[in-house]
Amino acid sequence: MSWPASATGAMPCLRAPQKLQDHIYSSAEESPLCSSDEFVDTSSDGRSASPAPSMYSFSSSVDGRTMLREAYGRILNNQNDTYFLPADNEEHRRLDLQHQIITLALGSLYPAPNLVRRALAPRPGKTAAILDVGTGSGSWAIDMAKQFPHCSVVGVDLAPPRVDGDLPPNCRFEIDDANLGFSHYRESFDVIHARSVSAGIRDFPQFLEELAQALRPGGVVLLGDGEMQLYDEWQEPLAYSAQGSSDFSWLHSVFFAGYNAMKTRGGSVDSPSMNPTWLRNIDAFTDVGWHKVYIPLGPWRCGDERELLLAEMLREDCLRYIAGLGPYLLSEGYFPESVEMMTREAATELRELRVRFHTRWSFAWAVKK
């Protein structure tokens, strides 16, 4: 059976984000993960501003201890205790892979392509703007900046992205916690994208209200997330099975433990299945739509070339994902040796194709009236 859906509430605080300026980190050597320079608070620079300029920004010399922290053997963000997946280069490489998977699965950088292209169509005297909430490694924001060079693109996350090469001139990144609201972005964007953010959002319906207010009339919100619920080979939701039962799976057990740990920390991990309903409940939105994609976890069945590629890529993504669940599980009181055994056995199941599971990716969108 499926896990129950719920959402926790938290009143947002109102304040502006910090801007990543002067330099985008292009290698591990330059990254704040390796930096011990002092934090610098600067209020302005010569670069083009985002639609709502930040009050606080930081230069290329960033003290990693200010924005990032080391815990349970990984580097985590230092802004938000709800989101406990890593924020290091290893995780950003996983997010790059996940970006490729989703783009291939959708056949595009975004669902609802007609709505997106209409919202971003060039108009005299207006610069269209795109916001990527939870930008992660920055891959989606950068690709959108390249596809829509006439648009301004802002990526927001709890930690700096890992960017290889030069950044497009119409793309920038800021540090912000989406739980604190977007009052500084009122009616500033034509497209807002939020993908794989549910684990870090405490009140997802309120988050959607904030996105609605940050959109311009006619703007589009795009949501996407992989579910923590796993599905069997017939795409039916898996029921939890205890160790020792005939259908027990270490992989399913790790996902179930991760789901509970995220819920305990206040994450809205049930939001992927609830987003269409929540969007319809917001008066500001119309044209609500959704799309669900099932992808095999590993190439355990004979599909076409595209499906086999997706399945193989997703298996690699999942191997890296379960390795990154360590901070969640250890912070919940699991013994290190238990976490090591669970993740090792889950990885073995994946590599040896002992289980035939699907994941489901849920996408939803709406247009602001």
Side-chain angles (χ1 to χ4, degrees):
M1 62 182 176
S2 301
W3 299 327
S6 65
T8 57
M11 291 299 293
C13 296
L14 303 181
R15 64 96 181 84
Q18 299 167 330
K19 291 189 296 184
L20 182 59
Q21 65 181 29
D22 296 338
H23 180 71
I24 297 297
Y25 304 101
S26 58
S27 70
E29 288 73 27
E30 295 172 320
S31 163
L33 304 181
C34 308
S35 171
S36 60
D37 297 331
E38 290 299 314
F39 177 84
V40 179
D41 179 17
T42 56
S43 59
S44 63
D45 69 336
R47 298 185 66 183
S48 59
S50 61
S54 304
M55 290 169 53
Y56 304 105
S57 57
F58 54 91
S59 73
S60 57
S61 297
V62 179
D63 185 352
R65 293 168 299 178
T66 301
M67 298 169 51
L68 303 164
R69 56 179 161 161
E70 185 172 0
Y72 304 106
R74 297 295 293 267
I75 301 297
L76 309 179
N77 85 85
N78 202 27
Q79 317 291 321
N80 177 326
D81 281 332
T82 303
Y83 189 81
F84 229 57
L85 285 173
D88 49 24
N89 286 341
E90 182 179 349
E91 173 68 2
H92 281 169
R93 285 190 291 270
R94 183 189 74 82
L95 292 175
D96 286 339
L97 174 61
Q98 180 177 280
H99 172 64
Q100 296 172 27
I101 293 168
I102 295 173
T103 302
L104 180 59
L106 290 175
S108 173
L109 287 172
Y110 37 81
N114 292 336
L115 296 178
V116 172
R117 292 172 190 144
R118 183 180 69 187
L120 297 179
R123 293 179 177 85
K126 174 193 171 185
T127 299
I130 302 167
L131 176 65
D132 185 24
V133 182
T135 194
S137 65
S139 295
W140 189 87
I142 292 170
D143 283 353
M144 288 294 285
K146 293 176 180 178
Q147 186 171 128
F148 297 96
H150 63 283
C151 297
S152 171
V153 183
V154 180
V156 172
D157 208 312
L158 295 163
R162 181 188 65 86
V163 178
D164 296 321
D166 294 331
L167 194 66
N170 58 326
C171 182
R172 62 176 296 109
F173 294 99
E174 298 182 351
I175 304 303
D176 200 6
D177 183 351
N179 291 290
L180 303 181
F182 292 117
S183 63
H184 48 287
Y185 280 150
R186 290 294 182 259
E187 296 195 354
S188 295
F189 297 97
D190 300 281
V191 168
I192 298 180
H193 176 259
R195 189 172 72 193
S196 300
V197 301
S198 60
I201 302 298
R202 291 187 287 269
D203 184 345
F204 216 89
Q206 177 60 36
F207 170 67
L208 296 179
E209 293 277 4
E210 290 286 336
L211 298 187
Q213 295 180 46
L215 277 172
R216 294 166 177 161
V220 180
V221 62
L222 304 171
L223 308 172
D225 219 327
E227 299 178 16
M228 291 297 286
Q229 169 75 64
L230 293 178
Y231 294 80
D232 65 19
E233 59 184 310
W234 300 282
Q235 300 179 0
E236 295 294 331
L238 286 167
Y240 177 75
S241 298
Q243 188 176 357
S245 61
S246 60
D247 53 353
F248 172 76
S249 161
W250 284 108
L251 180 60
H252 190 210
S253 181
V254 167
F255 265 71
F256 188 74
Y259 168 88
N260 285 321
M262 291 175 183
K263 291 281 285 187
T264 299
R265 285 193 165 270
S268 301
V269 285
D270 297 303
S271 68
S273 60
M274 295 298 297
N275 281 334
T277 299
W278 288 338
L279 288 170
R280 285 194 297 266
N281 289 339
I282 297 176
D283 291 339
F285 285 135
T286 186
D287 297 333
V288 175
W290 61 91
H291 176 55
K292 298 184 186 299
V293 179
Y294 292 87
I295 305 176
L297 253 177
W300 48 262
R301 73 179 187 187
C302 296
D304 58 27
E305 184 177 346
R306 174 178 170 276
E307 182 185 276
L308 288 173
L309 178 59
L310 278 170
E312 187 59 70
M313 293 170 69
L314 186 60
R315 174 168 63 172
E316 179 60 31
D317 176 60
C318 188
L319 287 168
R320 300 181 192 183
Y321 177 71
I322 59 179
L325 286 174
Y328 269 111
L329 302 181
L330 292 168
S331 69
E332 285 298 296
Y334 284 84
F335 293 119
E337 56 269 26
S338 296
V339 173
E340 193 278 331
M341 180 193 67
M342 291 167 63
T343 55
R344 183 186 68 245
E345 294 297 330
T348 299
E349 286 185 352
L350 269 176
R351 290 192 179 99
E352 297 181 0
L353 299 178
R354 295 182 188 175
V355 292
R356 297 189 168 194
F357 294 162
H358 286 89
T359 62
R360 187 169 79 173
W361 293 77
S362 296
F363 303 91
W365 57 87
V367 178
K368 184 173 180 179
K369 297 175 183 176

